Amino acid sequence: MKVLECSTIDIAPTISRLLKVPMVPPSGRPIREVENYAKERGCKRAVIIVVDSLGYSLYWHLSPVMKNLHEIVEKGLLFKCRSPATITSPAIASIFTGYLPEEHNIYSTADIYAQTAKDSENPRLKSIMEWAYRAGMKASAVIESEGAESFRGRIKDFYGVPNSEDILDYDRQITEYALHALREKPDILSVHLRALDRYSHRVETWKEMKKAAKAIDKNLEEIFQNAEEGTIFFICGDHAVHGGKKWLKNATHEEIKNHEDNCVALIVGCC
């Protein structure tokens, strides 16, 4: 399998090109291989699924237990994708906007409110979902409650799940809202699954990490199965796995380099 390379800031402009969403061109650039892949298959809708902490090397380590995701890889495209941030808020902001953290200045959820208060029309703060909504398209987001509220007044359909100590149940609720959103046939939907990241901080063994990976894979399967035909999926990590020393004890030189370079997996597939 040929492994391609890109940056997470290339995701939003790629979707803009595919769905003909007008946006101020950001720092990222459309991914040519994805454009060709989508055109061949007539993809007309897009779903972004951020799998928190899905580093590139971690994906390969967990792929034997993430059978549904690996099936998408085998039929689609796999990228070793550089992320410009090692924590979630700026990393996801870059995925959604196509800008680097030093350009959008979103380093926490609170920053979204602060930055939009300064200049609500700043294009560097607008997500691809907002650009789509402004163009008369149907856009949805399913994320943690505080982040979801930041979409109020920016898109119509957003769903929030309160943070929880039971992260598997949290992801389950996220998935249920995602399935609900898909029934409304959005042109673009964004989803954030967090179990892998929570487990990376709190558990000590690969057996426990694989439990989180299996749960995420089951959620992904349901989302795949309930999407409209012609939907293109962008499943990506936001940053390399946290707790690096713990998970890199027996890592190869290449795996260590991927971690240090903050490379995440980006899987693109069309149903």
Side-chain angles (χ1 to χ4, degrees), residues 87-90 93 105-114 146:
I87 59 174
T88 296
S89 291
N105 289 313
I106 297 171
Y107 295 94
S108 69
T109 303
D111 287 337
I112 301 173
Y113 298 99
E146 187 179 0

Side-chain angles (χ1 to χ4, degrees), residues 12-33:
T14 301
I15 293 173
S16 171
R17 183 76 64 87
L18 293 180
L19 302 188
K20 297 180 172 56
V21 177
M23 72 184 300
V24 174
S27 298
R29 292 291 177 265
I31 306 169
R32 178 177 51 83
E33 294 89 349

Side-chain angles (χ1 to χ4, degrees), residues 29-93:
R29 292 291 177 265
I31 306 169
R32 178 177 51 83
E33 294 89 349
V34 175
E35 289 187 80
N36 294 338
Y37 173 87
K39 286 175 182 176
E40 289 172 0
R41 290 157 180 79
C43 300
K44 299 175 182 178
R45 297 180 175 86
V47 175
I48 306 170
I49 304 177
V50 179
V51 179
D52 210 307
S53 278
L54 188 65
Y56 179 75
S57 293
L58 185 64
Y59 162 72
W60 279 113
H61 199 85
L62 296 174
S63 61
V65 299
M66 301 187 80
K67 299 185 184 303
N68 295 294
L69 182 56
H70 193 61
E71 186 176 331
I72 295 290
V73 170
E74 291 181 329
K75 296 178 180 178
L77 303 171
L78 172 65
F79 292 83
K80 181 162 68 173
C81 195
R82 288 214 179 194
S83 171
T86 58
I87 59 174
T88 296
S89 291
I92 291 184

